[in-house]
Amino acid sequence: MAARDWHDWHRAYAEPASFLSRRLAVVQDRIREFLDRAAPGPLRVVSLCAGQGRDLLETLGTHPRRTDVTARLVELDPRNAAVAADTARAAGLDGVEVAIGDAALVDRYADLVPADLVLVCGVFGNIGDDDVRRTVGYCAQLCATGGTVVWTRHRDEPDLVPRICDWFAAEGFTLSWISDKAAGFGVGVHRFAGPPRPLDRGARMFTFVADPPPRPRA
């Protein structure tokens, strides 16, 4: 697991002009669009490597669909998980569970998938290309038919974002939205058009690299 202090890493969110703050606003807009367009009824959400849960919790806290959502945020760092749990509690989001544990383990989500929304934010920039491809494949197990995946990845060279879009397409996803490269970061939204796939119980989707780059990654 990476040596970076992931709790300290979140401090950049306090800077409005920071890479993380700008990316967060875009991700929140995509989540808000998903909630606005979702059919009436219960909604299931899972978030991998959720950190402090700002993307989902800050959006859901003021959204009319807040009581329709059952969500699980999985985060390994107990300090970040505590922040997320406190945020959910303060917002009265009774349907949100914050689980401390390894988000790469498929079994963490077994009783809540296939989900309507799968968040893979802050993951693809911290794992190897083979693991990115592998995780995209697992998204087809986590996602319900018609469900949405929101993911992030930096745009440094070699830019992997076009290949990630191709990998999603190969797994039966259609591209709904992609951020402009000029933004300096990648945010993608894909919709799953295929049937739910059996969950590969006991599997690991990815492993964080041992020494991530110093710049915030997405």
Side-chain angles (χ1 to χ4, degrees):
M1 189 50 93
R4 172 180 289 159
D5 186 329
W6 291 105
H7 183 264
D8 184 67
W9 181 80
H10 281 73
R11 294 181 186 276
Y13 283 118
E15 304 170 18
S18 72
F19 172 92
L20 286 180
S21 290
R22 291 185 290 110
R23 189 195 73 189
L24 174 63
V26 173
V27 172
Q28 289 176 334
D29 284 344
R30 304 289 80 78
I31 295 173
R32 191 173 296 109
E33 288 176 358
F34 163 80
L35 293 170
D36 289 344
R37 297 173 180 175
L43 296 169
R44 291 183 170 190
V45 180
V46 295
S47 179
L48 286 62
C49 300
Q52 296 177 0
R54 293 169 181 255
D55 47 12
L56 178 64
L57 300 179
E58 292 180 5
T59 306
L60 191 58
T62 58
H63 198 277
R65 299 296 302 274
R66 50 182 282 135
T67 58
D68 293 333
V69 173
T70 299
R72 177 170 300 145
L73 284 61
V74 183
E75 168 59 32
L76 186 62
D77 189 309
R79 298 166 299 169
N80 286 332
V83 173
D86 288 345
T87 300
R89 189 179 306 111
L93 298 173
D94 298 333
V96 173
E97 173 196 0
V98 180
I100 300 173
D102 189 346
L105 302 179
V106 169
D107 286 2
R108 297 283 183 187
Y109 314 95
D111 60 332
L112 205 60
V113 297
D116 302 289
L117 176 63
V118 177
L119 300 176
V120 192
C121 300
V123 177
F124 289 166
N126 292 291
I127 62 180
D129 292 1
D130 288 345
D131 272 4
V132 175
R133 176 66 183 92
R134 177 179 173 85
T135 303
V136 169
Y138 276 105
C139 285
Q141 297 184 19
L142 300 177
C143 205
T145 301
T148 295
V149 177
V150 179
W151 56 272
T152 63
R153 164 77 185 201
H154 63 83
R155 300 303 299 258
D156 292 351
E157 296 298 336
D159 184 5
L160 197 65
V161 167
R163 292 181 66 192
I164 294 174
C165 290
D166 289 342
W167 292 335
F168 270 105
E171 295 294 343
F173 288 85
T174 58
L175 178 63
S176 298
W177 189 89
I178 192 75
S179 58
D180 192 287
K181 187 172 182 178
F185 51 79
V187 177
V189 182
H190 279 79
R191 186 173 183 271
F192 188 48
R197 299 183 186 175
L199 199 62
D200 186 9
R201 297 295 298 268
R204 166 176 289 277
M205 292 181 278
F206 56 82
T207 300
F208 267 37
V209 296
D211 187 20
R215 173 188 170 188
R217 292 302 204 181

